[in-house]
Amino acid sequence: MLYKVVKRSEITQGKSFGIRTVAIILALLTSAIFIMILNLNPLEVYAALIKGAFGSNYRINQTIITAIPLVITSLGIAIAFKMKFWNIGGEGQIMMGAFAASFFALRYPDLPKPILLSLMMIAGMVAGGLWALIPAFFKAQWETNETIITLMMNYIAIKWVTYLQYGPWRDKGALGFPKIPNFSDNAILPNFLGIHIGWIFALILIIIVYIFMNRSKLGYEISVLGESENTARYAGINVKRTIIIALLISGGLCGLAGMIQASAVSNTLNVEVSGGVGFTAIITTWLASLSAPFILLASILFAALIQGGSFIQTAFGIPAAAAMILEGMILFFVLGSEFFIKYKLTKNGSAKPAVSKGEI
Amino acid sequence: MDFMTSFLAAAVVAGTPLLFATLGEIITERAGNLNLGVEGMMLMGAVIGFKIGLITGNPILALLAAMFAGGMGALIFAILTISLRANQVVSGLALTIFGTGFSAFIGKDLVGQVTPNAIKLFFKPLEIPGLANIPILGKALFSQDLFIYLGYLTAIILGIYLYKTRKGLNLIAVGENPGAADAASINITLYKYAHVLLGGALCGLGGVYLSLVYVPAWQENVTAGRGWIAVALVIFAAWNPFKALIGAYLFGGMDIIGFRIQGTGFPISQYFIDMLPYLVTIMVLVVVSMRKSRKNAPPKGLGVPYFREER
């Protein structure tokens, strides 16, 4: 073997950021080959993607609106991932948050706006948190595999909302169309600077989560637990309690994203309310290496991909699924690039120059 | 056929895609790699197999193409997790996202297309004389199509391979303690690659059963979460190919029970019955983790990248 793999002792943040950027560029190049196989000009497609995401004020607004739930959900997922608790149930937690918020919106449509919206927000966070609490409890109690449970609970949440939409909550005035009635005006989040105020929540939450993870005791305990459960125990951290609280927060944030989507975007509850955000947020969280400020960057990148993807569908007739392939590709390359962040390749000879000189 | 037999027969049919995917994931996890991309690999197999079947009208080529597509998905995962030691959970999720996009993309022109008659005919139920006369079970198990018999055969062969051959035992060692296996001069990288790829090929087969035989037409996202149920079934089956047979058909039964109950006019919403497989999966996982017997434990090296220098 000519090269040998050596663990890096340390890497500067700039260098690791650089490696990730190279990975994304390589992903774009690889996808370009894929696009060329389909007899399309990759440059045109990429230009259309960018145009679709940022081409006009309207499109920029749409991209930001898409980024809002991504940011908030990613923040929630990052807290769980930091603990190496693989919460892939964001989708279900969003759904249950939206469900609980909708309960208040539909039940008390005439409450004063600030009161109703606050109630909906609290309900959304509590419901999302409780939905995440179930796998957290099993994990804390019996170390039950959380990956699959959180995922199974997504499907249960989706079936639950489908049941409501086709059953008890169905709008009888909708002429047989299976939908839940629209919210009253009091249950809809107001706009600020042309976009619903969810964007302000998202920015504030980035700061709060950043401080929480880096400056608070609980945030520190979560990190330690993620590094090693044994270390956490020796350090006197209450492991069960930490898992439960962290997941309440994680699910609560996802639930809040659900409330925002139901209230501001769809103005009602339906099965599409989460729209894959719970899964996309897993990628953005990982791309951002679980860091709150980078989550903003990654979420905007992916919101742009989603918006641009639906644009190329209408402009080129390329299915929006192409954007998913690109998403997967970017993630593959970034995952692969982490190898070069953790390890470096050194020439076998260079470690012992004196010996090799002697041999020559 | 009476009600019970026809229900069991339908459960076996519905359980077959689960069986292939579960077997694939068992082999993958036995090599110490947790591949959560089952859903993605199934979809890749489903779409490529269906497309080749449509073009050639040849069932064998369709199956081979599905295995190839599933294997290619697994290859991406293998490069990332074995050679580049990336996080297995996230790599698997990425594969699922990629595979879902890939199948929707390739399948956009296939929507509404139906399986060619030649293939339908090839996979029509064949009765096995003698065995089919066993009361109740005979007709359910032995009056099925060739693909289902391939499922029985695969499970049995993998079971024998795993527990009765040297290579199979080596594989178990790789999954349990790669360091020790390495010291016994087993080629860890080769074993991991070979079995992760084989696992992907089997997931591809599970997918193509859905599109080509079960539906039998192309519809987007034809797997509808079955890949994830397969991941859970691996735990249910305690990483044992023989037990996978029981688990897959049990869950196949739950998959169709809603439809059957609806027919009898029993007053329960279809959506609650649809939750059943997911609820049962959760309960199974919880019960297994509560009992924590050593026999049912996952391979010890599962999810941990192997790096000789860190041994």
Side-chain angles (χ1 to χ4, degrees):
Chain A
M1 224 208 245
L2 273 173
Y3 290 92
K4 124 174 147 181
V5 179
V6 181
K7 197 155 196 168
R8 278 187 206 269
S9 46
E10 231 170 277
I11 185 162
T12 58
Q13 228 182 349
K15 204 166 187 182
S16 94
F17 187 73
I19 290 178
R20 264 166 222 265
T21 314
V22 171
I24 292 179
I25 293 168
L26 285 176
L28 292 176
L29 288 177
T30 314
S31 305
I33 297 170
F34 194 74
I35 296 168
M36 279 200 290
I37 293 171
L38 294 162
N39 269 330
L40 291 160
N41 181 346
L43 285 179
E44 264 177 43
V45 173
Y46 286 153
L49 268 175
I50 293 169
K51 197 176 148 208
F54 304 110
S56 67
N57 270 341
Y58 170 77
R59 293 206 182 111
I60 293 175
N61 282 359
Q62 289 303 310
T63 303
I64 295 174
I65 290 171
T66 312
I68 292 166
L70 274 179
V71 170
I72 299 176
T73 309
S74 305
L75 290 173
I77 289 178
I79 293 172
F81 274 24
K82 193 81 189 176
M83 209 167 58
K84 298 225 165 71
F85 184 106
W86 305 110
N87 176 14
I88 51 178
E91 198 78 359
Q93 290 144 23
I94 291 172
M95 207 61 117
M96 293 316 271
F99 151 69
S102 303
F103 175 81
F104 285 96
L106 297 168
R107 192 85 187 254
Y108 308 104
D110 300 321
L111 279 179
K113 195 163 188 153
I115 297 178
L116 181 55
L117 283 175
S118 314
L119 263 179
M120 287 167 66
M121 252 183 253
I122 294 166
M125 285 196 270
V126 170
L130 289 178
W131 203 243
L133 182 70
I134 299 170
F137 169 77
F138 290 138
K139 173 86 173 181
Q141 199 64 28
W142 296 297
E143 291 177 33
T144 314
N145 184 320
E146 75 282 5
T147 322
I148 295 162
I149 296 202
T150 47
L151 198 108
M152 293 292 121
M153 290 183 65
N154 288 342
Y155 290 102
I156 294 172
I158 290 167
K159 294 287 174 203
W160 169 244
V161 173
T162 318
Y163 163 72
L164 293 174
Q165 190 176 334
Y166 284 79
W169 284 16
R170 185 168 176 166
D171 185 357
K172 302 199 172 54
L175 302 169
F177 187 71
K179 74 179 286 294
I180 293 168
N182 277 359
F183 292 172
S184 69
D185 280 347
N186 287 356
I188 294 174
L189 283 172
N191 279 8
F192 184 68
L193 299 178
I195 304 171
H196 70 77
I197 59 164
W199 69 272
I200 300 176
F201 297 161
L203 290 181
I204 295 172
L205 283 170
I206 289 174
I207 298 167
I208 294 179
V209 171
Y210 180 79
I211 295 172
F212 169 72
M213 289 310 290
N214 294 293
R215 296 276 180 274
S216 79
K217 181 161 172 275
L218 187 60
Y220 176 72
E221 288 177 342
I222 289 172
S223 306
V224 173
L225 185 52
E227 285 299 317
S228 151
E229 196 178 317
N230 283 335
T231 312
R233 277 188 214 287
Y234 294 139
I237 293 170
N238 185 337
V239 172
K240 284 185 189 178
R241 182 176 151 271
T242 311
I243 293 180
I244 298 273
I245 297 178
L247 261 288
L248 273 175
I249 300 171
S250 173
L253 285 168
C254 297
L256 177 65
M259 176 270 167
I260 291 173
Q261 291 308 90
S263 163
V265 178
S266 57
N267 302 147
T268 181
L269 177 69
N270 58 42
V271 274
E272 287 94 35
V273 79
S274 53
V277 166
F279 289 114
T280 312
I282 294 168
I283 317 179
T284 46
T285 309
W286 196 261
L287 274 181
S289 45
L290 315 188
S291 135
F294 282 110
I295 279 176
L296 179 64
L297 222 66
S299 299
I300 291 174
L301 173 71
F302 270 69
L305 270 176
I306 292 167
Q307 282 302 318
S310 63
F311 178 74
I312 55 167
Q313 179 157 24
T314 43
F316 288 87
I318 304 173
M324 260 177 112
I325 297 180
L326 198 57
E327 285 175 23
M329 205 75 95
I330 291 178
L331 193 48
F332 285 148
F333 275 90
V334 169
L335 279 165
S337 75
E338 270 160 27
F339 177 78
F340 301 96
I341 293 175
K342 271 192 228 137
Y343 305 95
K344 61 181 174 191
L345 297 174
T346 50
K347 275 217 177 103
N348 238 356
S350 65
K352 321 171 257 182
V355 179
S356 52
K357 246 182 214 163
E359 276 167 0
I360 295 163
Chain B
M1 267 198 274
D2 61 284
F3 181 81
M4 199 57 213
T5 307
S6 83
F7 176 75
L8 287 177
V12 170
V13 173
T16 295
L18 292 175
L19 176 65
F20 279 104
T22 307
L23 291 172
E25 184 66 8
I26 286 178
I27 287 300
T28 307
E29 291 190 18
R30 280 292 188 179
N33 284 53
L34 174 70
N35 187 350
L36 295 182
V38 178
E39 180 89 356
M41 295 185 291
M42 282 178 88
L43 280 167
M44 290 169 82
V47 73
I48 294 295
F50 189 86
K51 187 158 183 148
I52 297 297
L54 205 61
I55 295 169
T56 63
N58 183 326
I60 307 294
L61 283 180
L63 262 55
L64 288 176
M67 290 177 75
F68 179 76
M72 281 301 108
L75 179 64
I76 301 175
F77 176 83
I79 293 173
L80 286 176
T81 59
I82 301 169
S83 297
L84 297 177
R85 297 165 203 152
N87 181 297
Q88 295 183 3
V89 173
V90 185
S91 300
L93 289 174
L95 180 54
T96 289
I97 290 164
F98 176 81
T100 311
F102 180 86
S103 85
F105 193 86
I106 304 288
K108 102 185 139 130
D109 299 328
L110 300 175
V111 175
Q113 301 266 32
V114 183
T115 304
N117 277 328
I119 296 182
K120 269 192 195 159
L121 216 64
F122 187 80
F123 290 122
K124 72 167 195 302
L126 291 172
E127 214 163 274
I128 298 183
L131 287 173
N133 295 332
I134 303 169
I136 307 176
L137 283 180
K139 279 271 188 302
L141 290 176
F142 300 112
S143 180
Q144 298 281 18
D145 62 60
L146 282 175
F147 211 140
I148 290 176
Y149 297 140
L150 180 66
Y152 304 158
L153 204 65
T154 312
I156 293 167
I157 291 175
L158 283 181
I160 294 171
Y161 171 71
L162 201 54
Y163 298 118
K164 297 279 181 253
T165 68
R166 172 162 289 276
K167 284 205 170 61
L169 294 171
N170 282 350
L171 174 65
I172 294 178
V174 169
E176 290 292 337
N177 190 342
D182 194 4
S185 63
I186 295 171
N187 186 337
I188 305 286
T189 311
L190 180 67
Y191 265 82
K192 279 183 178 267
Y193 263 94
H195 292 93
V196 168
L197 286 176
L198 174 64
L202 289 173
C203 292
L205 274 183
V208 80
Y209 184 78
L210 280 169
S211 59
L212 215 50
V213 185
Y214 189 75
V215 176
W218 180 251
Q219 63 188 44
E220 205 178 303
N221 208 2
V222 64
T223 49
R226 286 186 179 84
W228 294 105
I229 293 195
V231 175
L233 267 174
V234 172
I235 301 169
F236 180 84
W239 293 267
N240 179 331
F242 298 121
K243 288 187 188 162
L245 274 169
I246 302 163
Y249 298 142
L250 192 69
F251 274 66
M254 274 188 282
D255 201 14
I256 54 163
I257 204 165
F259 188 69
R260 300 260 157 171
I261 288 181
Q262 209 69 14
T264 63
F266 190 75
I268 181 167
S269 167
Q270 178 200 336
Y271 303 108
F272 287 118
I273 305 169
D274 287 348
M275 290 178 188
L276 211 61
Y278 311 113
L279 279 173
V280 173
T281 305
I282 293 176
M283 283 191 292
V284 166
L285 284 178
V286 171
V287 171
V288 168
S289 65
M290 277 167 72
R291 295 215 329 252
K292 237 185 221 115
S293 63
R294 271 184 63 203
K295 229 179 103 200
N296 294 332
K300 280 203 191 58
L302 188 62
V304 189
Y306 178 64
F307 188 23
R308 187 180 258 175
E309 275 78 353
E310 280 169 9
R311 197 166 54 188

